[in-house]
Amino acid sequence: MSRASQTAIPCTLMRGGTSKGPFFLASDLPADVQTRDRVLLAAMGSPDVRQIDGVGGADPLTSKVAIISRSSRAGIDVDYLFAQVSVDRPLVDLTPTCGNMLAGVGPFAIERGLVAPRDPITPVTIHMVNTGTVAVAHVPTPGHEVTYEGETSIAGVPGAAAAIRIDFRDTAGSVCGALLPTGNALDHFDGIDATLIDNGMPMVVLRASDLGKSGHEAPAELNSDEKLKARLEAIRIVAGQRMGLGDVRLKVVPKMTLIAPPQAGGHIMTRTFTPHKCHAAIGVLMAVTVGTACILPWSVAHGIARPPDGPVQRFSIEHPTGEFSVELQVEHTNDGLKVIRSSLIRTARALFRGELLVPASVWIGKERATSTDAVQTVQHG
Ligand code: NQM
């Protein structure tokens, strides 16, 4: 009797913004969470610094998974669950969402038949399961077909592609429950000022100069500075507790950002850690959150950031490979400043469609009697 030694799972490998990873329909993965996470680890080849036995790219930015399903929520098209698969540990972190992988969700949902395409743009309303927040991605679909070709370049990705505008609403307190989880715009750790903030991503914003850095260093230089990384991690662990995130040693939040005065026409310079490695650019919701910190009166960015004026602020965040522009629509309320909408541009591209194979010893698979997707039925016994 034959027994298939691998289970085939329908999958699209996508670049979303400056991240990359497999996109799955939730219905194609195990319903049981532990089995699902074992499957994700096996799919990516984790834990292993090279991820040689899977499709992970041996970097946190390319060890990400998007799990998509049709939403049963009113006014929402699809649910997007993000999984950060650790490269070198048997760990899957569902705490934050990822705004870069989010850029691939709209095209994937349309191409997999979850959302009917319009002409020339299809708005896809996405519930980000990890944080309970909502984004609307405007996907170019001329002639009712997703197009990836276009003229838009984003820092950190060579070439140009079709622009996907993403609007966020209500991102304040996405994980921590409040924009300023400690109630303060400025906290202090061992003589260092910090702003602990969550406008879509829990983050600790620090002045680079307080850590003896210019904020203009190359990521490789910061990544090899073990003393700096140990100091950042010590701050992160205490900050995580204060932000209500509990013991964050195994979590990928809060992320850490060093800020410095801009030097290329932007409004702030950043070096962001995700959280243990310096990002080649900056994450999407990280950019929204850092931009928000920069316009808050009396945050750690006071006197460093040069925010524009007006109710709609186009905030340009400099990072190691260029800049990231975020449009922030702000309102001053009795409780302080409120960001009511943030918008930005990303690009995405489907890179590969097929079946991702995981050892049957990890998951034997299942029959999908009602699904019309191409499936390979695993032979039992
Ligand atoms: O902040 C990096 C990325 C991210 C997260 C990371 C992100 C976001 O650049 O929304 O996109 O935290 O690993 O993809």
Side-chain angles (χ1 to χ4, degrees):
M1 252 202 264
S2 76
R3 180 193 285 271
S5 69
Q6 302 224 72
T7 300
I9 310 172
C11 170
T12 303
L13 183 69
M14 297 201 70
R15 173 181 67 78
T18 51
S19 290
K20 181 162 68 177
F23 281 55
F24 298 104
L25 290 178
S27 54
D28 286 328
L29 289 173
D32 168 66
V33 170
Q34 281 210 332
T35 314
R36 183 200 65 203
D37 290 352
R38 272 199 295 272
V39 165
L40 299 186
L41 286 160
M44 304 306 275
S46 295
D48 168 31
V49 286
R50 292 190 302 145
Q51 292 185 318
I52 193 68
D53 203 27
V55 301
D59 185 285
L61 300 182
T62 50
S63 187
K64 301 182 170 204
V65 173
I67 303 171
I68 314 299
S69 50
R70 201 187 296 276
S71 187
S72 55
R73 290 164 183 263
I76 304 288
D77 294 312
V78 291
D79 293 337
Y80 153 49
L81 176 67
F82 166 67
Q84 178 74 57
V85 179
S86 173
V87 172
D88 56 358
R89 285 186 290 191
L91 203 71
V92 176
D93 192 349
L94 304 178
T95 317
T97 187
C98 172
N100 271 305
M101 291 289 276
L102 172 68
V105 173
F108 176 82
I110 295 166
E111 290 186 331
R112 294 306 303 269
L114 303 184
V115 175
R118 299 186 196 169
D119 181 20
I121 304 267
T122 306
V124 180
T125 305
I126 301 160
H127 170 236
M128 294 182 281
V129 176
N130 307 73
T131 54
T133 50
V134 173
V136 182
H138 302 266
V139 183
T141 44
H144 300 92
E145 252 182 60
V146 173
T147 183
Y148 293 102
E149 289 204 40
E151 303 299 318
T152 300
S153 296
I154 59 171
V157 180
I164 299 174
R165 198 186 88 225
I166 303 179
D167 296 333
F168 295 104
R169 318 170 196 150
D170 297 333
T171 41
S174 68
V175 178
C176 302
L179 179 71
L180 297 172
T182 63
N184 311 317
L186 200 60
D187 283 286
H188 312 280
F189 296 90
D190 205 11
I192 299 220
D193 290 341
T195 294
L196 277 41
I197 182 166
D198 171 8
N199 196 14
M201 186 65 76
M203 302 205 62
V204 178
V205 185
L206 304 156
R207 287 184 208 105
S209 57
D210 286 349
L211 291 149
K213 298 291 164 192
S214 68
H216 304 153
E217 292 85 357
E221 185 182 336
L222 297 175
N223 284 333
S224 62
D225 188 337
E226 295 303 331
K227 218 168 122 196
L228 171 75
K229 289 201 293 184
R231 187 118 192 253
L232 286 178
E233 186 60 3
I235 294 173
R236 199 179 81 85
I237 289 167
V238 181
Q241 289 282 1
R242 290 205 203 160
M243 296 171 89
L245 295 166
D247 182 352
V248 297
R249 276 174 291 188
L250 294 183
K251 291 185 179 165
V252 293
V253 288
K255 315 278 185 187
M256 311 295 284
T257 286
L258 309 185
I259 57 166
Q263 63 166 17
H267 301 111
I268 193 77
M269 166 66 87
T270 59
R271 292 293 183 268
T272 300
F273 290 75
T274 67
H276 302 121
K277 196 167 172 189
C278 184
H279 202 301
I282 186 169
V284 169
L285 287 151
M286 294 176 189
V288 171
T289 300
V290 171
T292 305
C294 289
I295 58 174
L296 276 184
W298 311 118
S299 78
V300 74
H302 184 77
I304 298 179
R306 296 178 197 143
D309 281 328
V312 179
Q313 308 195 347
R314 194 167 179 277
F315 203 90
S316 168
I317 297 170
E318 297 177 5
H319 57 66
T321 45
E323 74 86 45
F324 193 128
S325 287
V326 185
E327 196 176 277
L328 300 170
Q329 189 178 345
V330 297
E331 205 175 75
H332 292 273
T333 67
N334 289 342
D335 299 333
L337 181 133
K338 194 172 172 203
V339 177
I340 47 183
R341 177 186 58 84
S342 47
S343 300
L344 44 93
I345 300 291
R346 295 277 85 187
T347 65
R349 196 163 75 83
L351 307 172
F352 167 84
R353 279 189 208 114
E355 291 171 334
L356 209 156
L357 302 171
V358 295
S361 56
V362 174
W363 183 43
I364 195 83
K366 59 184 176 182
E367 293 190 26
R368 300 175 190 85
T370 54
S371 170
T372 52
D373 291 318
V375 292
Q376 176 178 326
T377 303
V378 176
Q379 299 291 319
H380 291 276

